[in-house]
Amino acid sequence: MEPEDLELLYTIENDTQLWCVGTANVPYSRFALRQFIEQQTGDIYTDKQVRLIAENAEGEVVGMADLIGFSPAHMRAEVGIIILSRHQGKGYATAALCQLEHYARTFLRLHQLYAIVAKTNSSSERLFSRRGFSVSGTLSHWLCLADGFHDALLMQKILDE
């Protein structure tokens, strides 16, 4: 991430409709997000995460893709993808996931990627399924949303098979 990405990060992190797909449930100030951007070293081994900005062929920002919870010892990372609502349904999430898989396999030499997907998020479940992720379990009452607790699916993909 670069300082120019502050407004995008502010928009995404403070969109309450997206809180159900992540771990945040409080708004972030621009100051806090600016500090987050400044503190990132760009080294996944140091930060244990990498956040990448997704752009289309015209250079327009369409969303973000993350590898978080990076574990070099266990050779795995969690995937997170957010595509801005006006760009959804155009294949950008699939393209971002393909790029993350390539990066994880080729440069990080990871053994697996995983995603935690709300059981009610059928579009995300389809995205990961189409890319070869399989449901390996259900996490009961995993997500606390405005209307109560919801189950989540643990989806995994072994990269070196």
Side-chain angles (χ1 to χ4, degrees), residues 106-135:
T106 305
F107 298 104
L108 300 177
R109 304 214 187 319
L110 293 185
H111 175 67
Q112 71 173 291
L113 293 175
Y114 68 96
I116 297 174
V117 177
K119 201 168 185 179
T120 57
N121 190 342
S122 58
S123 59
S124 286
E125 184 181 356
R126 274 193 312 278
L127 165 70
F128 287 104
S129 293
R130 283 193 318 259
R131 290 295 310 152
F133 283 69
S134 58
V135 175

Side-chain angles (χ1 to χ4, degrees), residues 2-21:
E2 299 177 4
E4 296 80 20
D5 300 320
L6 176 62
E7 287 307 311
L8 170 70
L9 188 59
Y10 182 81
T11 298
I12 289 174
E13 293 293 351
N14 290 302
D15 184 342
T16 57
Q17 293 184 355
L18 296 175
W19 287 357
C20 65
V21 298

